[in-house]
Amino acid sequence: MGITFPAGFSASGITAGLKASGNPDLALVRNNGPRFDAAAVFTSNRVAAAPVHWSRQVISDGRADAVVLNSGGANACTGPEGFANTHATAEYVATVLGVSSGDVLVCSTGLIGEQLPMEKILPGVDAAAAALGTGNEFDGGAAAAAAIMTTDTVSKQAGFTGTGYGIGAMAKGAGMLAPGLATMLVVITTDAVLESAQLDAALREATRVSFDRADSDGCMSTNDTVILMSSGASGTTPDETEFTAGLTEVCVGLAKALISDAEGAAHEITIRTFNAATEDDAVEVSRTVARSNLFKTAIFGQDPNWGRVLSAVGTTQAAFEPDELNVSINGVQVCRKGGVGEDRNLVDLAGRNVLVEIDLNAGMQEASLWTNDLTHDYGHENSAYSS
């Protein structure tokens, strides 16, 4: 299931020649209505890309008719020319589709600090528009998901079947995964009948416990964008609690897929902090451990070094007593009451999945974050980035 799973949406993905590899690099998603409600969240990085600035303006009225996305170039740190190129792209999409440019969202991903080749982008829009179907009679959603990949090794799609409506989604992202959001582009579609304010509330709750808790390498991108569009084509107005739960399920699944595909990762790590005084405390503790290079390299080396976990926990402002901390790694309680627990040699880190559980013994709240280990391949990938 992907973005054309809900009724009322068509999509395409084509090769515009932006990537030296010759892989697909431009995607188009169209909302065919009858409704055009939308919401979005963006990176909190103050050095935001031109498409982020443009799309923030577009979404301010709660409507979006289409999204155009390119890989092969981030259009970030490109000054007035970069913003003009984003504007020109939206204007061209609007002309081709017969909609208003003020209702066209733009997303870009790739290398920072280079101008986009507009002589390739605009003909690419023509080709993408020509490839649009009328819905999911062909898998245009899969083509779009493939076209937004950069260092991703696999495309990422997800879906949810609600009571009389559906949710579909695609995402890209494999590095610079850190809260606020990850280095990702995400487009989510639904045929539910919901107003933009309802979509916004649901999206913010879903991203709070999904993408904002995917933390691969502690680095925050300039282009992060998550878009939710509703066509209303199902005619069903869902229970908002059910819709938010379904949307959260989709976002969590995609967030985990991003971590699974993180650059060079050999282990996918879940860090669960529980018995915390507040949820914020639990998030802070899990995030701090997730960002510890000492911890991440230990996991890469299959060393259950719980001392690196405790030393990271000790730098936080969370409420706890050091002699009340417990830590388990893959089910083995290696630290008990702030001291030595079970034999660390009992921990098996040969598999890809790792679960670290941190018991603060300070309350009843909990939160989990997802991260990965730090490997030689990560250094190699990021020393010679190519989209």
Side-chain angles (χ1 to χ4, degrees):
M1 292 190 288
I3 51 175
T4 57
F5 169 61
F9 293 92
S10 53
S12 62
I14 59 94
T15 300
L18 308 179
K19 293 179 180 176
S21 65
N23 290 330
D25 49 25
L26 193 142
L28 188 59
V29 183
R30 181 171 188 174
N31 182 353
N32 299 302
R35 297 176 63 98
F36 301 90
D37 303 277
V41 292
F42 302 94
T43 182
S44 57
N45 196 321
R46 292 168 62 194
V47 182
V52 170
H53 290 299
W54 170 265
S55 295
R56 280 176 174 153
Q57 296 175 15
V58 169
I59 206 67
S60 61
D61 65 355
R63 175 173 178 144
D65 290 24
V67 186
V68 60
L69 312 94
N70 75 270
S71 53
N75 197 7
C77 304
T78 48
E81 182 181 350
F83 187 81
N85 286 338
T86 293
H87 188 177
T89 301
E91 290 278 3
Y92 198 80
V93 170
T95 298
V96 171
L97 298 184
V99 300
S100 168
S101 62
D103 296 323
V104 177
L105 296 160
V106 181
C107 300
S108 298
T109 182
L111 194 63
I112 292 171
E114 293 186 355
Q115 298 292 348
L116 291 178
M118 296 304 290
E119 73 279 4
K120 296 180 180 179
I121 291 279
L122 301 186
V125 169
D126 284 324
L132 286 173
T134 57
N136 57 7
E137 74 279 359
F138 81 110
D139 206 354
I148 61 175
M149 294 167 58
T150 52
T151 58
D152 306 65
T153 64
V154 294
S155 62
K156 302 165 182 73
Q157 299 183 84
F160 173 81
T161 301
T163 306
Y165 67 94
I167 301 173
M170 68 175 184
K172 66 79 50 183
M176 289 182 75
L177 302 180
L181 304 156
T183 184
M184 60 189 174
L185 304 181
V186 181
V187 177
I188 308 168
T189 58
T190 182
D191 51 12
V193 178
L194 289 167
E195 296 181 355
S196 60
Q198 295 171 303
L199 296 175
D200 185 75
L203 183 62
R204 292 182 184 278
E205 174 58 24
T207 56
R208 184 183 73 83
V209 296
S210 58
F211 299 122
D212 279 348
R213 295 187 182 177
D215 199 328
S216 173
D217 53 14
C219 298
M220 185 189 298
S221 174
T222 55
N223 291 60
D224 311 328
T225 302
V226 181
I227 296 164
L228 172 59
M229 299 190 295
S230 174
S231 69
S234 71
T236 298
T237 300
D239 174 80
E240 289 184 50
T241 300
E242 179 195 278
F243 180 81
T244 301
L247 181 63
T248 300
E249 179 181 314
V250 167
C251 291
V252 167
L254 288 175
K256 290 183 176 181
L258 298 179
I259 290 295
S260 177
D261 197 28
E263 292 167 344
H267 293 88
E268 300 165 35
I269 308 167
T270 298
I271 303 175
R272 173 185 176 238
T273 299
F274 64 105
N275 289 335
T278 67
E279 184 181 10
D280 286 345
D281 277 4
V283 170
E284 182 186 3
V285 167
S286 291
R287 193 187 316 286
T288 301
V289 175
R291 292 186 172 184
S292 166
N293 286 339
L294 287 175
F295 163 73
K296 291 157 78 74
T297 51
I299 298 300
F300 171 57
Q302 299 186 31
D303 175 14
N305 192 332
W306 57 270
R308 294 181 176 179
V309 176
L310 255 63
S311 64
V313 173
T315 68
T316 71
Q317 298 300 310
F320 66 85
E321 294 297 329
D323 59 0
E324 290 294 323
L325 295 173
N326 300 317
V327 176
S328 296
I329 302 178
N330 280 355
V332 179
Q333 193 177 75
V334 289
C335 170
R336 183 177 294 118
K337 297 293 184 180
V340 179
E342 296 180 72
D343 185 354
R344 68 170 64 189
N345 292 319
L346 297 173
V347 179
D348 181 6
L349 293 176
R352 186 171 178 86
N353 295 311
V354 177
L355 173 62
V356 177
E357 295 177 289
I358 304 166
D359 180 0
L360 297 184
N361 272 313
M364 300 180 65
Q365 300 300 310
E366 70 171 86
S368 294
L369 266 75
W370 308 289
T371 189
N372 50 272
D373 54 352
L374 186 58
T375 69
H376 302 303
D377 287 343
Y378 176 85
H380 175 75
E381 180 76 43
N382 287 280
S383 65
Y385 175 81
S386 174
S387 61

